[in-house]
Amino acid sequence: MDTTPLLWLIGTAGSGKTTTAWALFSQLAQEGVLAAYVDADQVGMAYPAPSGDPDNERVKARGIGAVWAGFRAAGAQCLIVSGGVAAAETVADYAARTPGAALTLVELRVGAEERRERLIGRGGSEHLIEPAALHAARLERDPLTDRRVDTGGRSVQEVVALVRDRIGDWPGAPAGAWRPRGFDAPESAADGGVPMVWVCGPAGVGKSTVSFAVFMRLLASGAKASFIDLAQIGWCRPAAADDPGDHRLRARNLGALWRAHREAGAECLVVSGSGGGAATARGYLEAVPGCAPTVVRLDAPPEQLAERIRMRAEGIGVELPGDELRGLTGDGLERRIGAAHAEAALLEREGVGDIAVDTGGRTPDDIADEIAALIGPRPGAAPGGPTAR
């Protein structure tokens, strides 16, 4: 039987799931394993959640299933998932949507006081303290796996070493030579004209922050909205030589994930991420043929773009899995700044985007208000901007 090892790190908020999963993913890739990674929260953003599923577990399960096929088509030898679940029924739902997966669960644990300190240290996560305590109590009462790792007082690398000790020779040697199987386009949503706004731009310009603020405005308007960050649906390393920037993989996963969110009731779509030049941007739009897109390109003066990248490198701003700007210094940082300037010039030269928004000297909320006004706040309304080129 054709199976692919799938390791799921579960646990409460603050237990270290995402940090540990990313570190293990990076370690395996450095060892030459063709590994993929996804955060369940990042593929489950179709809200508001239904009353019977307040943690949106069913949508997250749909999301994992949507990208699963794309990663396997890219030749991934294993997939690492991070995300908190509390019930065996939820695990069974995820497993049913990943056919061919050989699932291994590992629970990460941390004491109540350290968990609280971690959540407070995250900034804006204090509201998770009480739900995390309830989640921990449920996992203690009804454990989902006997593979457990205590992350308290340990470094990330120490935790990774303990996880690898618990799972043994995982993912093991691949059965035969793995080769990319090609990206068959997933079946698209049957309807047309669904409002979509894609916020693109060079690295460091503020795409994720602004686009998420747009998403929140749509939710506040009463819409059932989907949010997809392109950077979070294409982590497969080592990178494929025939897919620079992982654009084909990300486009394939964008189409599949949007269909999953649409089936969950999403009425509009917000996308964040760089699409490269005009040709690759068209590939992303072709992956969601049922949408009526408005593409917004964020620009910034060169000196402000450089300053924002330096701030990201210092750890200022929202932390997302795989942020390759964090921790950069010296020549590496300057090369990234140069690459961002070159990307900004390419996007402008090739005319990517229907609308260009200058972000210089403006707050993310101010920019999000402008974009929300362009696309219209009403659920199901057609975008206010012109048709994407």
Side-chain angles (χ1 to χ4, degrees), residues 270-289:
V270 179
V271 176
S272 169
S274 175
T280 51
R282 283 193 296 271
Y284 283 106
L285 295 178
E286 289 168 359
V288 284

Side-chain angles (χ1 to χ4, degrees), residues 253-275:
N253 282 349
L254 169 65
L257 186 53
W258 164 241
R259 179 172 177 81
H261 286 184
R262 184 64 172 153
E263 290 172 349
E267 302 170 299
C268 50
L269 170 63
V270 179
V271 176
S272 169
S274 175

Side-chain angles (χ1 to χ4, degrees), residues 14-159:
S15 62
K17 303 181 298 296
T18 301
T19 303
T20 303
W22 180 263
L24 176 56
F25 164 67
S26 300
Q27 194 175 98
L28 288 170
Q30 290 171 1
E31 293 170 4
V33 177
L34 186 54
Y37 165 74
V38 67
D39 184 325
D41 289 338
Q42 292 292 328
V43 294
M45 291 192 183
Y47 286 96
S51 58
D53 185 21
D55 294 324
N56 229 20
E57 293 290 353
R58 295 189 187 93
V59 174
K60 293 176 186 178
R62 289 175 186 264
I64 293 295
V67 300
W68 168 249
F71 286 129
R72 296 191 84 203
Q77 294 169 248
C78 61
L79 174 62
I80 300 170
V81 177
S82 59
V85 294
E89 297 80 15
T90 305
V91 175
D93 192 10
Y94 283 107
R97 295 179 184 275
T98 51
L103 178 63
T104 300
L105 286 179
V106 175
E107 180 193 340
L108 301 188
R109 316 180 82 193
V110 64
E113 187 57 36
E114 187 168 348
R115 181 174 62 242
R116 184 176 186 279
E117 290 174 0
R118 290 180 184 181
L119 292 173
I120 291 174
R122 269 194 211 171
S125 295
E126 293 87 345
H127 67 286
L128 297 176
I129 292 173
E130 184 175 352
L134 294 173
H135 189 181
R138 183 170 183 180
L139 288 174
E140 184 65 33
R141 184 176 64 251
D142 300 308
L144 300 177
T145 175
D146 58 1
R147 294 186 176 94
R148 295 176 167 182
V149 171
D150 190 341
T151 68
R154 294 190 166 108
S155 70
V156 175
Q157 292 308 316
E158 287 173 334
V159 174

Side-chain angles (χ1 to χ4, degrees), residues 80-384:
I80 300 170
V81 177
S82 59
V85 294
E89 297 80 15
T90 305
V91 175
D93 192 10
Y94 283 107
R97 295 179 184 275
T98 51
L103 178 63
T104 300
L105 286 179
V106 175
E107 180 193 340
L108 301 188
R109 316 180 82 193
V110 64
E113 187 57 36
E114 187 168 348
R115 181 174 62 242
R116 184 176 186 279
E117 290 174 0
R118 290 180 184 181
L119 292 173
I120 291 174
R122 269 194 211 171
S125 295
E126 293 87 345
H127 67 286
L128 297 176
I129 292 173
E130 184 175 352
L134 294 173
H135 189 181
R138 183 170 183 180
L139 288 174
E140 184 65 33
R141 184 176 64 251
D142 300 308
L144 300 177
T145 175
D146 58 1
R147 294 186 176 94
R148 295 176 167 182
V149 171
D150 190 341
T151 68
R154 294 190 166 108
S155 70
V156 175
Q157 292 308 316
E158 287 173 334
V159 174
V160 170
L162 286 171
V163 169
R164 297 193 77 168
D165 180 65
R166 296 292 189 278
I167 59 180
D169 184 27
W170 189 95
W178 281 73
R179 299 182 184 278
R181 302 167 184 168
F183 294 104
D184 294 331
E187 185 181 355
S188 60
D191 51 7
V194 178
M196 165 187 172
V197 59
W198 177 11
V199 180
C200 67
V205 77
K207 300 181 294 294
S208 295
T209 302
V210 169
S211 57
F212 192 76
V214 172
F215 172 63
M216 296 302 291
R217 280 156 176 75
L218 288 169
L219 295 183
S221 78
K224 173 86 171 185
S226 164
F227 179 81
I228 300 175
D229 188 334
L230 298 178
Q232 298 301 318
I233 59 173
W235 294 122
C236 196
R237 295 289 183 272
D242 63 347
D243 188 17
D246 296 310
H247 290 303
R248 287 173 53 225
L249 171 59
R250 295 177 199 271
R252 191 268 172 215
N253 282 349
L254 169 65
L257 186 53
W258 164 241
R259 179 172 177 81
H261 286 184
R262 184 64 172 153
E263 290 172 349
E267 302 170 299
C268 50
L269 170 63
V270 179
V271 176
S272 169
S274 175
T280 51
R282 283 193 296 271
Y284 283 106
L285 295 178
E286 289 168 359
V288 284
C291 292
T294 299
V295 182
V296 180
R297 186 184 77 240
L298 301 186
D299 293 329
E303 65 278 5
Q304 290 193 22
L305 185 59
E307 179 58 25
R308 292 173 188 176
I309 291 174
R310 291 191 178 99
M311 291 173 65
R312 281 262 298 277
E314 293 172 4
I316 299 172
V318 178
E319 184 173 4
L320 293 171
D323 187 344
E324 296 176 339
L325 296 179
R326 284 189 176 246
L328 283 179
T329 58
D331 291 344
L333 177 58
E334 293 307 311
R335 282 194 295 271
R336 284 304 181 92
I337 291 172
H341 288 158
E343 183 181 10
L346 172 67
L347 294 174
E348 182 175 7
R349 184 170 64 250
E350 296 194 352
V352 174
D354 304 310
I355 302 158
V357 175
D358 187 351
T359 65
R362 302 175 65 187
T363 67
D365 281 338
D366 179 35
I367 301 163
D369 285 340
E370 179 180 342
I371 295 172
L374 289 170
I375 63 175
R378 299 181 309 279

